[in-house]
Amino acid sequence: LFSSVCAAEVAVRRERLDAALAVTGMDDESAGCVSLLDLPHDALSRIVSHCAAADLVAGVAPACTLLRSVACDQSLWEDLFRARYAPLLARLFGGEPPRAAAAEAGWRAFYYAFRRSWPALAAERGHVVLQLGDQYYDVTTYLDDHPGGPEYLSDAAGTDATGAFDAVGHSVRARELLRQFVLPEELFSAADG
């Protein structure tokens, strides 16, 4: 497996292995003497939490029944979700994920669905987040100052409002003003797929 990946990826995987070994208190030599199957479920969960989501689905899950049960563990996916989306959760969700949506879908499904659904979920919490092109804007604080009235922005909350924004023919000044409301991509971008 490692022969087909670049040196940088090998280094990243080595760091993940070292982190996993640190969790169990093992070193390379003692790890060679213990089967993963001998480890308790919670230790395995901690170890695979250092994997990227794509590796969990494509590589770890099919490896064996026990690892599959660990890779599908809802608490693992909740931890991965919280780690991946921590900045966005802090900014728009009071630091907590929308539990009702997560409970309905399950954490694994919610982990993947949240990338597309977070603007609408933020709108349910009173934030007016619009997508314009490939950027997201939190215009909640601008509602009362919007020349067209707050209802135009509120009605578009949680949606891709690019067509409506362009159709109005906003001025250069309006487009410049919009920059102050842009949400940095690192708040919601995929950290690991």
Side-chain angles (χ1 to χ4, degrees):
L1 175 67
F2 288 120
S3 63
S4 65
V5 294
C6 67
E9 188 169 354
V10 170
V12 167
R13 288 175 187 245
R14 180 65 215 190
E15 288 176 19
R16 288 180 180 161
L17 175 61
D18 289 342
L21 290 173
V23 167
T24 62
M26 293 184 218
D27 57 21
D28 279 336
E29 289 180 30
S30 62
C33 300
V34 175
S35 166
L36 283 175
L37 300 177
D38 294 331
L39 294 174
H41 187 273
D42 62 310
L44 283 172
S45 291
R46 294 283 307 272
I47 289 169
V48 298
S49 72
H50 295 279
C51 294
D55 291 339
L56 287 174
V57 174
V60 174
C64 74
T65 304
L66 178 59
L67 287 178
R68 181 169 175 73
S69 74
V70 170
C72 295
D73 183 72
Q74 292 298 306
S75 62
L76 170 66
W77 285 96
E78 179 180 1
D79 292 345
L80 290 170
F81 177 89
R82 287 176 178 281
R84 178 180 181 186
Y85 290 111
L88 186 62
L89 294 174
R91 175 121 180 212
L92 298 175
F93 295 91
E96 287 299 316
R99 290 230 173 247
E104 183 178 320
W107 281 104
R108 181 177 171 179
F110 188 59
Y111 176 91
Y112 289 105
F114 190 73
R115 175 65 174 94
R116 295 178 312 278
S117 65
W118 70 264
L121 293 168
E124 291 174 9
R125 298 234 176 155
H127 291 277
V128 180
V129 176
L130 311 172
Q131 180 182 354
L132 300 174
D134 61 354
Q135 296 275 309
Y136 290 91
Y137 301 86
D138 182 356
V139 295
T140 307
T141 60
Y142 186 67
L143 289 176
D144 293 332
D145 297 325
H146 186 252
E151 61 278 351
Y152 288 107
L153 297 178
S154 295
D155 289 347
T159 69
D160 182 346
T162 306
F165 183 83
D166 291 342
V168 170
H170 284 89
S171 67
V172 171
R173 168 78 177 111
R175 291 173 188 274
E176 288 172 0
L177 181 67
L178 191 59
R179 287 187 201 149
Q180 68 184 302
F181 301 108
V182 71
L183 290 172
E185 187 175 337
E186 59 269 10
L187 286 180
F188 53 84
S189 63
D192 63 356

